[in-house]
Amino acid sequence: MQECRLTANNLACQRGERLLFRGLALELTAGQALQVKGANGIGKSSLIRILAGLMRPLVGTVERAGMVGLLDERPALDPGLPLGKALAFWQRLDGPGDAELAQLGLSSLLEVPVRYLSTGQKKRAALARLLSQEAPIWLLDEPLNGLDTRGVALVEALVAQHCAQGGIALVASHQPIALPGGAAIDLADFTA
């Protein structure tokens, strides 16, 4: 896996007239994971978007070394396509990486249109896309939503494996998740 690093310095985020957080700093290097905790609406998704480069912070800087893979509430899979074709579309764009569809419980669903998949199945399909990207930096926004106990254990194992192979994982979640090293920050500590 390529070298990776994710650093944020003195980040502040404002949405409309509301200052969500300020003074946030973090630094992650190869093999590290971090959970960002906080109540709904506190700014976890906004932080993920800032770290991914999809949104500008009010102040502060973000530095990334390595490709970013993003998993958020939108699986970015065409709801009209069968799952296999929807994943194949992204594989042509993302590269030849190969996700273990059997491990993710998706092998028997390849002919099922994405719109008929359950929330948990869509989440696992989004994980398949993330795995095939082979990005060293994972930004996971509420990855446990819609998953049963087995699905949660699968996400925890995938994150542990990714970090063991030299990747970085930043997980924004209000739900408990076992991460390598157990590091966590609460966005409530950075509110105005």
Side-chain angles (χ1 to χ4, degrees), residues 52-158:
L54 300 174
M55 188 173 125
R56 286 188 170 165
L58 178 64
V59 298
T61 60
V62 174
E63 297 174 28
R64 291 175 299 279
M67 189 171 87
V68 171
L70 173 66
L71 185 144
D72 66 9
E73 72 277 0
R74 298 170 300 264
L77 298 169
D78 185 332
L81 289 179
L83 177 60
K85 288 186 179 180
L87 290 172
F89 168 82
W90 285 110
Q91 191 172 32
R92 288 190 300 274
L93 296 175
D94 292 336
D98 192 30
E100 276 295 324
L101 297 179
Q103 176 190 14
L104 294 168
L106 299 172
S107 297
S108 64
L109 301 173
L110 296 179
E111 297 302 319
V112 176
V114 171
R115 73 176 167 272
Y116 294 127
L117 299 177
S118 72
T119 302
Q121 290 168 333
K122 288 177 186 172
K123 187 69 75 169
R124 291 195 316 271
L127 283 167
R129 178 170 178 234
L130 178 72
L131 290 170
S132 68
Q133 288 175 334
E134 298 181 350
I137 301 172
W138 285 4
L139 300 176
L140 310 179
D141 189 8
E142 299 292 356
L144 306 181
N145 286 354
L147 294 179
D148 57 20
T149 334
R150 188 170 156 231
V152 170
L154 174 64
V155 170
E156 291 172 342
L158 290 172

Side-chain angles (χ1 to χ4, degrees), residues 27-37 156-157 159-164 167-171 177-185:
E27 182 172 3
L28 296 171
T29 58
Q32 293 184 312
L34 175 69
Q35 180 181 7
V36 178
K37 299 178 182 183
E156 291 172 342
V159 169
Q161 179 182 6
H162 179 69
C163 291
I168 290 172
L170 186 136
V171 180
I177 181 170
L179 295 177
I185 61 172

